[in-house]
Amino acid sequence: QVQLVESGGGLVQAGESLRLSCAASGIIFSISTMGWYRQAPGKQRELVATNTFRGDTNYADSVKGRFTISRDVARNTVFLQMNSLKPEDTAVYSCNARYGNGVYWGQGTQVTVSS
């Protein structure tokens, strides 16, 4: 059974930082593509960042230079370091894993950035 458990969300002021974590189980983490997505109220879910098992990364234009995705294979965990947060970054952030033919999602963690 695949499980993705996010943590690290919260309420911060504009300009501050947060680090999200996603602990994965039930998949071979080392060969999975991991990603972070977000959904703001009234908007569609959008890609934030992805990280392949080869180390390739991809970021949404809106977060380039501010967010960094990384993984710790020994801990089966993927991180999203978010710096210089803006109010428009407010959303529910969800972890995503692509492994084999499966696509898996975590339950999401709320990030709120006040101005």
Side-chain angles (χ1 to χ4, degrees), residues 73-108:
V73 175
R75 294 166 59 187
N76 278 11
T77 300
V78 62
F79 303 98
L80 185 68
Q81 178 66 43
M82 305 185 293
N83 298 329
S84 302
L85 282 162
K86 304 175 180 180
E88 52 263 43
D89 294 319
T90 295
V92 175
Y93 285 71
S94 298
C95 179
N96 168 277
R98 297 177 187 270
Y99 168 64
N101 294 320
V103 179
Y104 307 95
W105 293 92
Q107 82 286 354

Side-chain angles (χ1 to χ4, degrees), residues 7-20:
S7 60
L11 171 64
V12 296
Q13 293 189 330
E16 295 184 338
S17 300
L18 278 175
R19 188 174 83 153
L20 305 183

Side-chain angles (χ1 to χ4, degrees), residues 29-84:
F29 184 78
S30 61
I31 59 171
S32 299
T33 293
M34 304 298 297
W36 288 95
Y37 290 72
R38 67 186 182 186
Q39 187 167 20
K43 294 187 177 181
Q44 289 190 328
R45 183 164 57 193
E46 62 175 357
L47 168 73
V48 176
T50 59
N51 175 266
T52 74
F53 63 90
R54 294 186 180 91
D56 300 318
T57 57
N58 181 49
Y59 295 93
D61 288 342
S62 59
V63 307
K64 282 181 181 176
R66 301 188 297 122
F67 291 12
T68 303
I69 188 171
S70 62
R71 68 170 70 196
D72 183 335
V73 175
R75 294 166 59 187
N76 278 11
T77 300
V78 62
F79 303 98
L80 185 68
Q81 178 66 43
M82 305 185 293
N83 298 329
S84 302

